[in-house]
Amino acid sequence: MAMEAAEIERLIKEGLPDASVEIRDLAGDGNHYAATVIAESFRGKSRVQQHQMVYATLKGQMGGILHALALQTNVPD
């Protein structure tokens, strides 16, 4: 069972309301995505901490229904 890009975006925005989120389906199979997440709440956090914040919004779906998510995170300019 695949996860829809819209669902990934919804979960991230629900957990990080200040985030700008862009999701791309890398393989067209609904299992391999790339996400760019830009959020003020990342300011002062390490890249690892930023990624942990995004993974937390996915509520345990990572590695299960969501097979792969390449993350790029940043703070707004």
Side-chain angles (χ1 to χ4, degrees), residues 3-13 16 21-27 29-37 42 50-73:
M3 190 170 198
E4 297 289 327
E7 177 66 4
I8 298 168
E9 183 176 353
R10 185 189 70 75
L11 287 170
I12 294 171
K13 285 184 174 181
L16 298 168
V21 181
E22 178 189 333
I23 306 290
R24 295 172 308 287
D25 188 340
L26 298 176
D29 61 3
N31 286 316
H32 299 84
Y33 291 98
T36 301
V37 182
F42 292 155
Q50 292 173 16
H51 287 204
Q52 289 171 335
M53 289 170 69
V54 173
Y55 289 138
T57 68
L58 298 173
K59 302 178 181 176
Q61 301 299 322
M62 197 62 223
I65 192 170
L66 179 56
H67 178 70
L69 180 66
L71 272 179
Q72 182 176 5
T73 57

